Amino acid sequence: MGTAENGAAAWKSDLVLALLAALLALAADAWTGFGQLTDAGGDNDNLLRLVEVRDLLAGQGWFDLHQYRMGLEGGFVMHWSRLVDAPIAAIVLAASALTGSRPLAEDVAQVLWPALLFWSTLFFTARAARSFGGAGAALPAILVGGAGYYFLGIYDPGALDHHNVQLMLTMASLALLLEAPAWRWAALLSGLSAALTLAVGMETVPYVATIGVCVSLLFVADPSGERTIARDFGLGFAGVGALVFVATIPPSAWGVAECDAFSVAQFVVAAIAGVGLAAIALVEPAAGSRQRGLALLAALGVVLGAVVAALFPQCLSAPYANLDPRLKELWLDHIDEAQSLFTQLVHDPARVAARYATPLVAIILMALRFRRGGWRRQDSLVAALLAVSFVVGAWQLRGTTFSIAFAVIPLSAWIAKWRSRAEAGSSPGVALRLAAVWLVSINPVWTGVAAAASVAFEKRTGCRRPRRDGQGLPEEGHLRAAWRHDRHDRACDLQSRRADPRL
């Protein structure tokens, strides 16, 4: 079989394996009766996205992102993107035409949309793992990634928020960039995916920036081999950024800069960065000398910094710099996904094991690979994204979603290596090591062990902490209730210390 036929067969295999895993997850949700559709678990973002889609289908303008019925009189403008509303609305329209029932069509959309994203994310994860660790890493990536994504909950039925879209697009950008040396259009599509994930939400800025920096530095390290990749990535990133700007921003707002949504600020940065990178890659002197290429890229970075500082200085401040201290105390400090690693270690160590264990194992694997030598471009891309996502996750819990996903790639390669050893010469020792590698790599195993340890500890101390919903607020849904729960938590901590002098 030729190289092209081998590549096509691998794509089909990964698509089918990802589809089977997605169908299995869908069957598990169906077995439980799609309970997430009637109990959102406190995730108001999913519910509000459905409201936004309903308003769009009811005739609210494409460029009008007001939620008129929420908050004070007159409502407020949402910072979300129509790029997510549109496909969900299309599914609702198609299902309505087939069933004749709008409520049923909405249920279909709430089940089908996350399932499609789950499938596509698994597919790109398998592609990335295959490029990183060989053909043997694809199946472990499906199994490890499928288990991790399923228990993260961002692909549950009813998960209409944009985090699953962003993870899928970011993983697509990475997978395509890993395949770029072997496939002509991969770099262009990688730039497209990076621009789209940025347009959907600003949470992925660290990962998009990391991908862009990696593409630039790989070009400096290997000008001849990475020249076309850098050019195509830059053109795809800038071109799609321009299309998104025109398609989602009304002409009346083209001069208005928003820091938490795609606007002229992000468009200008994307245009300068993308076109600048492509232009540098096309310049013969830059492609022939590492020093000249690095100098030109440094100049591009200076230009970007000067433009942002001069035109959009408000976007250089910390995300919560202007937040009222009272609002931070009453609201932000009680949102689970905004908690830091240090806070989790103090108040919820079980969650630390569930969210940080597999990324940390993957980082150790990458460090060992670097120490042994033989570093490759694939290693640079995966290691950079894994390290950045771990740092973001240490700052805020929400970042662990991406670090868990990126960790699947080196973990799958690790499993593939031990599988090949077991196939080459089976022995009880190798079999036990392979089993241990599988268990250590599967994130829900850490989640289960941590949960069991937490329950045992609570039983021993006789103190049980109140359950909080997906947004971190207690079930009472009132801000003052957070104070009561905090007092309860401190009482639990004190009681735990009395029960165990080592604490």
Side-chain angles (χ1 to χ4, degrees), residues 192-279:
L192 180 153
S193 300
L196 285 178
T197 192
L198 189 65
V200 168
M202 293 300 105
E203 296 97 325
T204 52
V205 167
Y207 317 121
V208 174
T210 301
I211 291 173
V213 170
C214 285
V215 172
S216 302
L217 293 180
L218 287 171
F219 167 68
V220 171
D222 183 14
S224 59
E226 298 287 336
R227 181 180 184 182
T228 302
I229 294 173
R231 181 200 66 192
D232 291 350
F233 179 89
L235 291 176
F237 186 69
V240 173
L243 289 176
V244 168
F245 181 74
V246 173
T248 62
I249 309 298
S252 60
W254 281 1
V256 179
E258 302 286 350
C259 299
D260 62 347
F262 196 81
S263 66
V264 64
Q266 291 76 18
F267 164 65
V268 168
V269 171
I272 295 176
V275 173
L277 177 60

Side-chain angles (χ1 to χ4, degrees), residues 107-193:
D107 288 342
V108 170
Q110 290 186 83
V111 172
L112 184 59
W113 177 242
L116 290 173
L117 292 174
F118 185 81
W119 176 22
S120 53
T121 306
L122 270 183
F123 169 70
F124 287 117
T125 304
R127 297 304 301 174
R130 182 183 291 273
S131 298
F132 181 85
L139 178 60
I142 294 291
L143 298 176
V144 174
Y149 299 156
Y150 182 79
F151 285 97
L152 280 174
I154 63 172
Y155 296 98
D156 285 346
L160 303 182
D161 195 11
H162 53 263
H163 297 124
N164 44 23
V165 180
Q166 290 177 304
L167 179 57
M168 183 272 291
L169 290 170
T170 306
M171 187 62 75
S173 184
L174 171 61
L176 290 163
L177 205 52
L178 291 172
E179 293 190 38
W183 185 34
R184 169 69 178 79
W185 298 102
L188 186 71
L189 294 175
S190 177
L192 180 153
S193 300

Side-chain angles (χ1 to χ4, degrees), residues 334-346:
H334 302 284
I335 296 180
D336 277 358
E337 64 180 19
Q339 303 305 308
S340 68
L341 173 58
F342 176 77
T343 303
Q344 296 294 320
L345 283 170
V346 173

Side-chain angles (χ1 to χ4, degrees), residues 219 368 378 407 409 418 421 454:
F219 167 68
L368 293 174
Q378 298 98 311
I409 300 169
W418 280 100
R421 289 184 181 181
S454 178

